[in-house]
Amino acid sequence: MARTALPGRLSPRLEWRVATLADFVDETATARTLLLDVPGWPGHLPGQHVDVRLTDEDGYSTQRSYSLAAPADGERVELTIQRVEDGEVSPYLADTLAVGDPIELRGPVGGWFLWHPSRTAPVLLVGGGSGIVPLMAMVRARRQARSRAPFRLIYSVRTPMDLIYASELRRSARDDGGLDITTVYTRSAPEAWPRPPGRLGLDDIERFGWPPQFEPTCFVCGPTGFVEHVATTLVHLGHDPRRIRTERFGPTGG
Amino acid sequence: MVTNAYEYEDGNALAGPLSELFAVDVTAATGRCVSCGDTGRVADLRVYVNAPGYVARCPGCDHVMLRLVRSPDAAWLDLQGTLSLRVPMPPG
Ligand SMILES: Cc1cc2nc3c(=O)[nH]c(=O)nc-3n(C[C@H](O)[C@H](O)[C@H](O)COP(=O)(O)OP(=O)(O)OC[C@H]3O[C@@H](n4cnc5c(N)ncnc54)[C@H](O)[C@@H]3O)c2cc1C
Ligand SMILES: [Zn+2]
């Protein structure tokens, strides 16, 4: 590769870009979707993420990763932030950042936890809490591409109040042919819900996922403990570890 | 951030920081662990954020495979725990 070609190729990846909050949507009492305008955004694939950097007046800066919540749409980028009590970055993004305010953002990054809309193999998505975010990007990209890839989504949340993208998921379950959605409540379920509240278990994954013989690609995302538990269960059920892709969002929760 | 057994993310979290050093995405690369010989994706390593750096451990044996520390004017990448790294490349 010509050396001179490198800087040109590298610079768009390296760059911290200034993004501006254009609008936001409150998804739940603790999760907010940020609609950001990012001049020069190069596009991305569902499952990729960005690093967000905040810098205060004394120059102290800190950064965190956030999944891209929707497929590429020009210079518009969506992130959904779940506020972590006592967190350093998420409460600022979810509560304080106002329309017109800038943040710095680098990406898209990540080349493993992603789904190409051209793929036709069955897909199992398992999300815990805010782990739904990159999986939603895949569901949305599937719809946008009119893909017929068989999708199953298992979404684990504590209570009905914690459902992110609730109404869109309801619509998708009805209108996106070939997409099955199962919601699992861990603490309290809606009235008359067939499954009693409780941690996502082997039975759920066996019942609402794909049999391993179908060789689905499995995307598992959420808090570290949740991801660990689901990935272990999938292997136990006979899924090939090489077809299990995980994204851990860090400590506890779920 | 305080570190205990569960307080880690995975190698996907290294995608941004490593993009400062590599022209290609390294999280899709396959690494071989010096300690146990297992191979696996960089995306599947266990990443501990010990500010100001990152420590990535083998999910099989917990050996440190990669360390990355970024200072204002340099990045320090320690790959002592990695025997090899196979990076998928576009045809060139
Ligand atoms: C690749 C990747 C993608 C991610 N995508 C998203 C996303 O789309 N949406 C999103 O909301 N978050 C996402 N995260 C998590 C996000 O990067 C932050 O870790 C999270 O917002 C907490 O940051 P904070 O600064 O608010 O908390 P910190 O200041 O980092 O932590 C404060 C306290 O909260 C605890 N804590 C930290 N993170 C969590 C957590 N996730 N759950 C419960 N307790 C926690 C800590 O142990 C500490 O006690 C992603 C992480 C990764 C690695
Ligand atoms: Zn090892």
mmCIF file of all heavy atoms in Angstrom, chain A residues 106-154:
data_model
loop_
_atom_site.group_PDB
_atom_site.id
_atom_site.type_symbol
_atom_site.label_atom_id
_atom_site.label_comp_id
_atom_site.label_asym_id
_atom_site.label_seq_id
_atom_site.Cartn_x
_atom_site.Cartn_y
_atom_site.Cartn_z
ATOM 1 N N ARG A 106 -16.563 10.386 17.868
ATOM 2 C CA ARG A 106 -15.619 9.727 16.959
ATOM 3 C C ARG A 106 -16.199 8.408 16.485
ATOM 4 O O ARG A 106 -16.641 7.605 17.291
ATOM 5 C CB ARG A 106 -14.308 9.476 17.709
ATOM 6 C CG ARG A 106 -13.312 8.611 16.952
ATOM 7 C CD ARG A 106 -12.007 8.504 17.674
ATOM 8 N NE ARG A 106 -12.110 7.652 18.850
ATOM 9 C CZ ARG A 106 -11.154 7.537 19.768
ATOM 10 N NH1 ARG A 106 -10.053 8.242 19.683
ATOM 11 N NH2 ARG A 106 -11.309 6.736 20.789
ATOM 12 N N GLY A 107 -16.192 8.195 15.197
ATOM 13 C CA GLY A 107 -16.712 6.937 14.698
ATOM 14 C C GLY A 107 -17.109 7.035 13.245
ATOM 15 O O GLY A 107 -16.825 8.037 12.616
ATOM 16 N N PRO A 108 -17.794 6.021 12.712
ATOM 17 C CA PRO A 108 -18.226 4.826 13.430
ATOM 18 C C PRO A 108 -17.070 3.873 13.674
ATOM 19 O O PRO A 108 -16.125 3.852 12.897
ATOM 20 C CB PRO A 108 -19.217 4.189 12.444
ATOM 21 C CG PRO A 108 -18.686 4.572 11.091
ATOM 22 C CD PRO A 108 -18.107 5.956 11.268
ATOM 23 N N VAL A 109 -17.143 3.115 14.746
ATOM 24 C CA VAL A 109 -16.119 2.109 15.028
ATOM 25 C C VAL A 109 -16.771 0.768 15.356
ATOM 26 O O VAL A 109 -17.950 0.706 15.702
ATOM 27 C CB VAL A 109 -15.175 2.548 16.168
ATOM 28 C CG1 VAL A 109 -14.298 3.702 15.739
ATOM 29 C CG2 VAL A 109 -15.942 2.897 17.428
ATOM 30 N N GLY A 110 -15.952 -0.265 15.275
ATOM 31 C CA GLY A 110 -16.421 -1.625 15.560
ATOM 32 C C GLY A 110 -16.708 -2.373 14.277
ATOM 33 O O GLY A 110 -17.558 -1.947 13.499
ATOM 34 N N GLY A 111 -15.991 -3.466 14.048
ATOM 35 C CA GLY A 111 -16.157 -4.206 12.802
ATOM 36 C C GLY A 111 -16.597 -5.635 13.022
ATOM 37 O O GLY A 111 -16.633 -6.435 12.087
ATOM 38 N N TRP A 112 -16.985 -5.983 14.233
ATOM 39 C CA TRP A 112 -17.321 -7.375 14.548
ATOM 40 C C TRP A 112 -18.790 -7.518 14.934
ATOM 41 O O TRP A 112 -19.488 -8.380 14.437
ATOM 42 C CB TRP A 112 -16.409 -7.876 15.665
ATOM 43 C CG TRP A 112 -16.655 -9.293 16.064
ATOM 44 C CD1 TRP A 112 -16.966 -9.759 17.306
ATOM 45 C CD2 TRP A 112 -16.595 -10.467 15.231
ATOM 46 N NE1 TRP A 112 -17.117 -11.124 17.292
ATOM 47 C CE2 TRP A 112 -16.894 -11.586 16.030
ATOM 48 C CE3 TRP A 112 -16.331 -10.670 13.863
ATOM 49 C CZ2 TRP A 112 -16.938 -12.878 15.538
ATOM 50 C CZ3 TRP A 112 -16.374 -11.965 13.362
ATOM 51 C CH2 TRP A 112 -16.662 -13.051 14.200
ATOM 52 N N PHE A 113 -19.256 -6.647 15.826
ATOM 53 C CA PHE A 113 -20.643 -6.704 16.278
ATOM 54 C C PHE A 113 -21.488 -5.919 15.284
ATOM 55 O O PHE A 113 -21.945 -4.823 15.582
ATOM 56 C CB PHE A 113 -20.750 -6.133 17.696
ATOM 57 C CG PHE A 113 -22.072 -6.418 18.351
ATOM 58 C CD1 PHE A 113 -22.289 -7.614 19.022
ATOM 59 C CD2 PHE A 113 -23.107 -5.509 18.282
ATOM 60 C CE1 PHE A 113 -23.509 -7.886 19.623
ATOM 61 C CE2 PHE A 113 -24.334 -5.775 18.890
ATOM 62 C CZ PHE A 113 -24.523 -6.969 19.555
ATOM 63 N N LEU A 114 -21.633 -6.458 14.086
ATOM 64 C CA LEU A 114 -22.454 -5.740 13.122
ATOM 65 C C LEU A 114 -23.140 -6.694 12.171
ATOM 66 O O LEU A 114 -22.700 -7.811 11.953
ATOM 67 C CB LEU A 114 -21.651 -4.682 12.369
ATOM 68 C CG LEU A 114 -20.351 -5.036 11.676
ATOM 69 C CD1 LEU A 114 -20.605 -5.637 10.308
ATOM 70 C CD2 LEU A 114 -19.520 -3.766 11.497
ATOM 71 N N TRP A 115 -24.253 -6.237 11.627
ATOM 72 C CA TRP A 115 -25.056 -7.038 10.706
ATOM 73 C C TRP A 115 -25.149 -6.309 9.371
ATOM 74 O O TRP A 115 -25.467 -5.118 9.327
ATOM 75 C CB TRP A 115 -26.468 -7.232 11.278
ATOM 76 C CG TRP A 115 -27.348 -8.051 10.390
ATOM 77 C CD1 TRP A 115 -27.257 -9.400 10.161
ATOM 78 C CD2 TRP A 115 -28.449 -7.586 9.598
ATOM 79 N NE1 TRP A 115 -28.232 -9.795 9.281
ATOM 80 C CE2 TRP A 115 -28.986 -8.714 8.918
ATOM 81 C CE3 TRP A 115 -29.037 -6.344 9.393
ATOM 82 C CZ2 TRP A 115 -30.071 -8.619 8.059
ATOM 83 C CZ3 TRP A 115 -30.131 -6.246 8.532
ATOM 84 C CH2 TRP A 115 -30.638 -7.379 7.872
ATOM 85 N N HIS A 116 -24.835 -7.058 8.302
ATOM 86 C CA HIS A 116 -24.955 -6.489 6.961
ATOM 87 C C HIS A 116 -26.355 -6.750 6.428
ATOM 88 O O HIS A 116 -26.778 -7.902 6.382
ATOM 89 C CB HIS A 116 -23.960 -7.157 6.004
ATOM 90 C CG HIS A 116 -22.553 -6.733 6.212
ATOM 91 N ND1 HIS A 116 -21.999 -5.674 5.546
ATOM 92 C CD2 HIS A 116 -21.587 -7.212 7.020
ATOM 93 C CE1 HIS A 116 -20.742 -5.520 5.919
ATOM 94 N NE2 HIS A 116 -20.458 -6.439 6.818
ATOM 95 N N PRO A 117 -27.064 -5.718 6.004
ATOM 96 C CA PRO A 117 -28.419 -5.924 5.486
ATOM 97 C C PRO A 117 -28.471 -6.880 4.292
ATOM 98 O O PRO A 117 -29.544 -7.347 3.929
ATOM 99 C CB PRO A 117 -28.860 -4.509 5.095
ATOM 100 C CG PRO A 117 -28.031 -3.613 5.964
ATOM 101 C CD PRO A 117 -26.707 -4.292 6.109
ATOM 102 N N SER A 118 -27.334 -7.212 3.683
ATOM 103 C CA SER A 118 -27.351 -8.160 2.565
ATOM 104 C C SER A 118 -27.359 -9.616 3.045
ATOM 105 O O SER A 118 -27.578 -10.528 2.256
ATOM 106 C CB SER A 118 -26.132 -7.923 1.681
ATOM 107 O OG SER A 118 -24.953 -8.097 2.440
ATOM 108 N N ARG A 119 -27.122 -9.840 4.330
ATOM 109 C CA ARG A 119 -27.090 -11.220 4.838
ATOM 110 C C ARG A 119 -28.478 -11.834 4.895
ATOM 111 O O ARG A 119 -29.450 -11.158 5.220
ATOM 112 C CB ARG A 119 -26.498 -11.253 6.257
ATOM 113 C CG ARG A 119 -24.993 -11.140 6.260
ATOM 114 C CD ARG A 119 -24.473 -11.401 7.662
ATOM 115 N NE ARG A 119 -23.170 -10.785 7.816
ATOM 116 C CZ ARG A 119 -22.649 -10.397 8.980
ATOM 117 N NH1 ARG A 119 -23.351 -10.543 10.087
ATOM 118 N NH2 ARG A 119 -21.453 -9.874 9.021
ATOM 119 N N THR A 120 -28.542 -13.127 4.602
ATOM 120 C CA THR A 120 -29.841 -13.799 4.574
ATOM 121 C C THR A 120 -29.990 -14.834 5.687
ATOM 122 O O THR A 120 -31.081 -15.352 5.898
ATOM 123 C CB THR A 120 -30.052 -14.492 3.220
ATOM 124 O OG1 THR A 120 -28.944 -15.366 2.994
ATOM 125 C CG2 THR A 120 -30.145 -13.481 2.095
ATOM 126 N N ALA A 121 -28.904 -15.175 6.376
ATOM 127 C CA ALA A 121 -28.953 -16.207 7.421
ATOM 128 C C ALA A 121 -29.849 -15.759 8.582
ATOM 129 O O ALA A 121 -30.003 -14.561 8.829
ATOM 130 C CB ALA A 121 -27.547 -16.478 7.932
ATOM 131 N N PRO A 122 -30.453 -16.729 9.293
ATOM 132 C CA PRO A 122 -31.273 -16.373 10.450
ATOM 133 C C PRO A 122 -30.453 -15.638 11.506
ATOM 134 O O PRO A 122 -29.249 -15.895 11.653
ATOM 135 C CB PRO A 122 -31.745 -17.716 11.004
ATOM 136 C CG PRO A 122 -31.415 -18.745 9.989
ATOM 137 C CD PRO A 122 -30.375 -18.179 9.084
ATOM 138 N N VAL A 123 -31.120 -14.757 12.206
ATOM 139 C CA VAL A 123 -30.460 -13.945 13.222
ATOM 140 C C VAL A 123 -31.253 -14.041 14.522
ATOM 141 O O VAL A 123 -32.481 -13.948 14.516
ATOM 142 C CB VAL A 123 -30.393 -12.466 12.766
ATOM 143 C CG1 VAL A 123 -29.946 -11.555 13.901
ATOM 144 C CG2 VAL A 123 -29.465 -12.316 11.567
ATOM 145 N N LEU A 124 -30.527 -14.240 15.610
ATOM 146 C CA LEU A 124 -31.136 -14.148 16.930
ATOM 147 C C LEU A 124 -30.557 -12.933 17.641
ATOM 148 O O LEU A 124 -29.334 -12.818 17.770
ATOM 149 C CB LEU A 124 -30.858 -15.411 17.758
ATOM 150 C CG LEU A 124 -31.311 -15.320 19.225
ATOM 151 C CD1 LEU A 124 -32.821 -15.150 19.341
ATOM 152 C CD2 LEU A 124 -30.851 -16.553 20.010
ATOM 153 N N LEU A 125 -31.434 -12.049 18.084
ATOM 154 C CA LEU A 125 -31.005 -10.875 18.844
ATOM 155 C C LEU A 125 -31.463 -11.060 20.286
ATOM 156 O O LEU A 125 -32.642 -11.337 20.518
ATOM 157 C CB LEU A 125 -31.651 -9.607 18.274
ATOM 158 C CG LEU A 125 -31.532 -9.358 16.765
ATOM 159 C CD1 LEU A 125 -32.362 -8.139 16.363
ATOM 160 C CD2 LEU A 125 -30.069 -9.151 16.373
ATOM 161 N N VAL A 126 -30.545 -10.917 21.219
ATOM 162 C CA VAL A 126 -30.934 -10.992 22.629
ATOM 163 C C VAL A 126 -30.404 -9.747 23.330
ATOM 164 O O VAL A 126 -29.191 -9.527 23.387
ATOM 165 C CB VAL A 126 -30.375 -12.257 23.332
ATOM 166 C CG1 VAL A 126 -30.973 -12.393 24.726
ATOM 167 C CG2 VAL A 126 -30.651 -13.516 22.517
ATOM 168 N N GLY A 127 -31.330 -8.923 23.831
ATOM 169 C CA GLY A 127 -30.924 -7.660 24.450
ATOM 170 C C GLY A 127 -31.421 -7.555 25.878
ATOM 171 O O GLY A 127 -32.541 -7.954 26.186
ATOM 172 N N GLY A 128 -30.592 -7.012 26.729
ATOM 173 C CA GLY A 128 -30.985 -6.738 28.108
ATOM 174 C C GLY A 128 -30.912 -5.246 28.362
ATOM 175 O O GLY A 128 -29.883 -4.613 28.116
ATOM 176 N N GLY A 129 -32.032 -4.645 28.789
ATOM 177 C CA GLY A 129 -32.034 -3.217 29.108
ATOM 178 C C GLY A 129 -31.640 -2.369 27.914
ATOM 179 O O GLY A 129 -32.183 -2.518 26.817
ATOM 180 N N SER A 130 -30.640 -1.481 28.101
ATOM 181 C CA SER A 130 -30.220 -0.616 26.998
ATOM 182 C C SER A 130 -29.470 -1.403 25.926
ATOM 183 O O SER A 130 -29.131 -0.846 24.876
ATOM 184 C CB SER A 130 -29.367 0.536 27.524
ATOM 185 O OG SER A 130 -28.270 0.050 28.257
ATOM 186 N N GLY A 131 -29.222 -2.686 26.157
ATOM 187 C CA GLY A 131 -28.618 -3.539 25.138
ATOM 188 C C GLY A 131 -29.485 -3.671 23.894
ATOM 189 O O GLY A 131 -29.049 -4.183 22.865
ATOM 190 N N ILE A 132 -30.705 -3.187 23.950
ATOM 191 C CA ILE A 132 -31.585 -3.187 22.780
ATOM 192 C C ILE A 132 -31.070 -2.222 21.704
ATOM 193 O O ILE A 132 -31.386 -2.376 20.523
ATOM 194 C CB ILE A 132 -33.034 -2.779 23.185
ATOM 195 C CG1 ILE A 132 -34.036 -2.978 22.031
ATOM 196 C CG2 ILE A 132 -33.087 -1.351 23.672
ATOM 197 C CD1 ILE A 132 -34.299 -4.382 21.647
ATOM 198 N N VAL A 133 -30.274 -1.223 22.083
ATOM 199 C CA VAL A 133 -29.944 -0.132 21.148
ATOM 200 C C VAL A 133 -29.302 -0.613 19.829
ATOM 201 O O VAL A 133 -29.850 -0.347 18.756
ATOM 202 C CB VAL A 133 -29.101 0.964 21.835
ATOM 203 C CG1 VAL A 133 -28.733 2.056 20.841
ATOM 204 C CG2 VAL A 133 -29.857 1.571 23.019
ATOM 205 N N PRO A 134 -28.175 -1.327 19.870
ATOM 206 C CA PRO A 134 -27.599 -1.736 18.575
ATOM 207 C C PRO A 134 -28.459 -2.776 17.869
ATOM 208 O O PRO A 134 -28.437 -2.873 16.635
ATOM 209 C CB PRO A 134 -26.240 -2.327 18.956
ATOM 210 C CG PRO A 134 -26.382 -2.743 20.386
ATOM 211 C CD PRO A 134 -27.345 -1.759 21.002
ATOM 212 N N LEU A 135 -29.255 -3.547 18.640
ATOM 213 C CA LEU A 135 -30.138 -4.549 18.037
ATOM 214 C C LEU A 135 -31.272 -3.851 17.294
ATOM 215 O O LEU A 135 -31.708 -4.292 16.234
ATOM 216 C CB LEU A 135 -30.685 -5.492 19.113
ATOM 217 C CG LEU A 135 -29.639 -6.104 20.056
ATOM 218 C CD1 LEU A 135 -30.314 -7.035 21.064
ATOM 219 C CD2 LEU A 135 -28.563 -6.851 19.264
ATOM 220 N N MET A 136 -31.729 -2.721 17.850
ATOM 221 C CA MET A 136 -32.774 -1.932 17.191
ATOM 222 C C MET A 136 -32.247 -1.374 15.874
ATOM 223 O O MET A 136 -32.993 -1.285 14.885
ATOM 224 C CB MET A 136 -33.223 -0.799 18.112
ATOM 225 C CG MET A 136 -34.480 -0.121 17.643
ATOM 226 S SD MET A 136 -35.869 -1.295 17.673
ATOM 227 C CE MET A 136 -37.164 -0.289 16.969
ATOM 228 N N ALA A 137 -30.979 -0.999 15.863
ATOM 229 C CA ALA A 137 -30.394 -0.511 14.602
ATOM 230 C C ALA A 137 -30.471 -1.614 13.548
ATOM 231 O O ALA A 137 -30.721 -1.349 12.367
ATOM 232 C CB ALA A 137 -28.946 -0.069 14.823
ATOM 233 N N MET A 138 -30.276 -2.869 13.976
ATOM 234 C CA MET A 138 -30.351 -3.982 13.023
ATOM 235 C C MET A 138 -31.792 -4.200 12.557
ATOM 236 O O MET A 138 -32.051 -4.408 11.368
ATOM 237 C CB MET A 138 -29.796 -5.252 13.675
ATOM 238 C CG MET A 138 -28.311 -5.136 14.029
ATOM 239 S SD MET A 138 -27.663 -6.616 14.859
ATOM 240 C CE MET A 138 -26.065 -5.994 15.449
ATOM 241 N N VAL A 139 -32.746 -4.146 13.499
ATOM 242 C CA VAL A 139 -34.163 -4.303 13.151
ATOM 243 C C VAL A 139 -34.592 -3.204 12.168
ATOM 244 O O VAL A 139 -35.276 -3.458 11.173
ATOM 245 C CB VAL A 139 -35.036 -4.255 14.434
ATOM 246 C CG1 VAL A 139 -36.516 -4.092 14.101
ATOM 247 C CG2 VAL A 139 -34.805 -5.518 15.274
ATOM 248 N N ARG A 140 -34.153 -1.994 12.443
ATOM 249 C CA ARG A 140 -34.520 -0.876 11.566
ATOM 250 C C ARG A 140 -33.853 -0.995 10.197
ATOM 251 O O ARG A 140 -34.474 -0.699 9.162
ATOM 252 C CB ARG A 140 -34.121 0.442 12.232
ATOM 253 C CG ARG A 140 -35.016 0.781 13.416
ATOM 254 C CD ARG A 140 -34.461 1.926 14.249
ATOM 255 N NE ARG A 140 -35.477 2.459 15.148
ATOM 256 C CZ ARG A 140 -35.206 3.294 16.151
ATOM 257 N NH1 ARG A 140 -33.949 3.693 16.378
ATOM 258 N NH2 ARG A 140 -36.187 3.735 16.913
ATOM 259 N N ALA A 141 -32.600 -1.435 10.197
ATOM 260 C CA ALA A 141 -31.890 -1.585 8.913
ATOM 261 C C ALA A 141 -32.524 -2.700 8.090
ATOM 262 O O ALA A 141 -32.633 -2.602 6.865
ATOM 263 C CB ALA A 141 -30.411 -1.892 9.158
ATOM 264 N N ARG A 142 -32.972 -3.746 8.768
ATOM 265 C CA ARG A 142 -33.639 -4.859 8.084
ATOM 266 C C ARG A 142 -34.909 -4.376 7.383
ATOM 267 O O ARG A 142 -35.168 -4.703 6.232
ATOM 268 C CB ARG A 142 -33.973 -5.949 9.105
ATOM 269 C CG ARG A 142 -34.736 -7.129 8.544
ATOM 270 C CD ARG A 142 -35.098 -8.105 9.663
ATOM 271 N NE ARG A 142 -35.808 -9.257 9.135
ATOM 272 C CZ ARG A 142 -37.107 -9.285 8.891
ATOM 273 N NH1 ARG A 142 -37.846 -8.208 9.117
ATOM 274 N NH2 ARG A 142 -37.679 -10.369 8.409
ATOM 275 N N ARG A 143 -35.676 -3.569 8.106
ATOM 276 C CA ARG A 143 -36.919 -3.038 7.548
ATOM 277 C C ARG A 143 -36.606 -2.120 6.362
ATOM 278 O O ARG A 143 -37.203 -2.223 5.293
ATOM 279 C CB ARG A 143 -37.677 -2.261 8.631
ATOM 280 C CG ARG A 143 -39.054 -1.775 8.169
ATOM 281 C CD ARG A 143 -39.643 -0.741 9.116
ATOM 282 N NE ARG A 143 -39.484 -1.157 10.505
ATOM 283 C CZ ARG A 143 -39.163 -0.329 11.497
ATOM 284 N NH1 ARG A 143 -38.964 0.959 11.266
ATOM 285 N NH2 ARG A 143 -39.034 -0.779 12.723
ATOM 286 N N GLN A 144 -35.626 -1.228 6.578
ATOM 287 C CA GLN A 144 -35.272 -0.265 5.538
ATOM 288 C C GLN A 144 -34.819 -0.972 4.260
ATOM 289 O O GLN A 144 -35.137 -0.527 3.166
ATOM 290 C CB GLN A 144 -34.143 0.625 6.070
ATOM 291 C CG GLN A 144 -33.910 1.871 5.282
ATOM 292 C CD GLN A 144 -32.784 2.675 5.901
ATOM 293 O OE1 GLN A 144 -31.635 2.222 5.965
ATOM 294 N NE2 GLN A 144 -33.104 3.858 6.401
ATOM 295 N N ALA A 145 -34.073 -2.077 4.414
ATOM 296 C CA ALA A 145 -33.547 -2.803 3.249
ATOM 297 C C ALA A 145 -34.568 -3.794 2.705
ATOM 298 O O ALA A 145 -34.275 -4.519 1.758
ATOM 299 C CB ALA A 145 -32.262 -3.534 3.644
ATOM 300 N N ARG A 146 -35.754 -3.845 3.301
ATOM 301 C CA ARG A 146 -36.774 -4.834 2.948
ATOM 302 C C ARG A 146 -36.200 -6.236 2.941
ATOM 303 O O ARG A 146 -36.502 -7.074 2.089
ATOM 304 C CB ARG A 146 -37.398 -4.527 1.577
ATOM 305 C CG ARG A 146 -38.098 -3.188 1.560
ATOM 306 C CD ARG A 146 -38.488 -2.791 0.151
ATOM 307 N NE ARG A 146 -39.299 -1.572 0.169
ATOM 308 C CZ ARG A 146 -40.608 -1.568 0.344
ATOM 309 N NH1 ARG A 146 -41.267 -2.693 0.522
ATOM 310 N NH2 ARG A 146 -41.274 -0.419 0.355
ATOM 311 N N SER A 147 -35.321 -6.483 3.898
ATOM 312 C CA SER A 147 -34.694 -7.797 4.019
ATOM 313 C C SER A 147 -35.715 -8.821 4.492
ATOM 314 O O SER A 147 -36.619 -8.510 5.252
ATOM 315 C CB SER A 147 -33.543 -7.712 5.026
ATOM 316 O OG SER A 147 -33.266 -8.986 5.559
ATOM 317 N N ARG A 148 -35.562 -10.068 4.017
ATOM 318 C CA ARG A 148 -36.432 -11.146 4.472
ATOM 319 C C ARG A 148 -35.687 -12.074 5.426
ATOM 320 O O ARG A 148 -36.184 -13.157 5.731
ATOM 321 C CB ARG A 148 -36.945 -11.946 3.270
ATOM 322 C CG ARG A 148 -37.648 -11.087 2.217
ATOM 323 C CD ARG A 148 -39.042 -10.654 2.658
ATOM 324 N NE ARG A 148 -39.902 -11.805 2.866
ATOM 325 C CZ ARG A 148 -40.615 -12.397 1.925
ATOM 326 N NH1 ARG A 148 -40.595 -11.943 0.702
ATOM 327 N NH2 ARG A 148 -41.374 -13.441 2.202
ATOM 328 N N ALA A 149 -34.487 -11.685 5.828
ATOM 329 C CA ALA A 149 -33.711 -12.525 6.753
ATOM 330 C C ALA A 149 -34.566 -12.822 7.986
ATOM 331 O O ALA A 149 -35.126 -11.909 8.583
ATOM 332 C CB ALA A 149 -32.423 -11.821 7.152
ATOM 333 N N PRO A 150 -34.681 -14.112 8.368
ATOM 334 C CA PRO A 150 -35.495 -14.443 9.540
ATOM 335 C C PRO A 150 -34.847 -13.906 10.816
ATOM 336 O O PRO A 150 -33.690 -14.224 11.100
ATOM 337 C CB PRO A 150 -35.516 -15.977 9.546
ATOM 338 C CG PRO A 150 -34.911 -16.414 8.246
ATOM 339 C CD PRO A 150 -34.077 -15.290 7.748
ATOM 340 N N PHE A 151 -35.595 -13.080 11.533
ATOM 341 C CA PHE A 151 -35.080 -12.445 12.756
ATOM 342 C C PHE A 151 -35.922 -12.861 13.949
ATOM 343 O O PHE A 151 -37.156 -12.887 13.871
ATOM 344 C CB PHE A 151 -35.203 -10.917 12.640
ATOM 345 C CG PHE A 151 -33.947 -10.190 12.226
ATOM 346 C CD1 PHE A 151 -33.175 -10.653 11.169
ATOM 347 C CD2 PHE A 151 -33.550 -9.013 12.884
ATOM 348 C CE1 PHE A 151 -32.036 -9.964 10.768
ATOM 349 C CE2 PHE A 151 -32.409 -8.320 12.492
ATOM 350 C CZ PHE A 151 -31.655 -8.791 11.437
ATOM 351 N N ARG A 152 -35.280 -13.133 15.055
ATOM 352 C CA ARG A 152 -35.987 -13.259 16.318
ATOM 353 C C ARG A 152 -35.301 -12.377 17.339
ATOM 354 O O ARG A 152 -34.073 -12.391 17.447
ATOM 355 C CB ARG A 152 -35.979 -14.713 16.800
ATOM 356 C CG ARG A 152 -36.966 -15.527 16.026
ATOM 357 C CD ARG A 152 -37.102 -16.917 16.561
ATOM 358 N NE ARG A 152 -38.187 -17.582 15.839
ATOM 359 C CZ ARG A 152 -38.519 -18.839 15.973
ATOM 360 N NH1 ARG A 152 -37.861 -19.607 16.835
ATOM 361 N NH2 ARG A 152 -39.506 -19.354 15.275
ATOM 362 N N LEU A 153 -36.106 -11.620 18.051
ATOM 363 C CA LEU A 153 -35.570 -10.728 19.075
ATOM 364 C C LEU A 153 -36.127 -11.124 20.440
ATOM 365 O O LEU A 153 -37.348 -11.244 20.600
ATOM 366 C CB LEU A 153 -35.968 -9.276 18.748
ATOM 367 C CG LEU A 153 -35.831 -8.235 19.881
ATOM 368 C CD1 LEU A 153 -34.366 -8.056 20.298
ATOM 369 C CD2 LEU A 153 -36.410 -6.885 19.449
ATOM 370 N N ILE A 154 -35.249 -11.355 21.389
ATOM 371 C CA ILE A 154 -35.670 -11.561 22.773
ATOM 372 C C ILE A 154 -35.160 -10.359 23.573
ATOM 373 O O ILE A 154 -33.961 -10.080 23.583
ATOM 374 C CB ILE A 154 -35.079 -12.864 23.365
ATOM 375 C CG1 ILE A 154 -35.444 -14.072 22.487
ATOM 376 C CG2 ILE A 154 -35.584 -13.067 24.801
ATOM 377 C CD1 ILE A 154 -34.803 -15.380 22.944
#
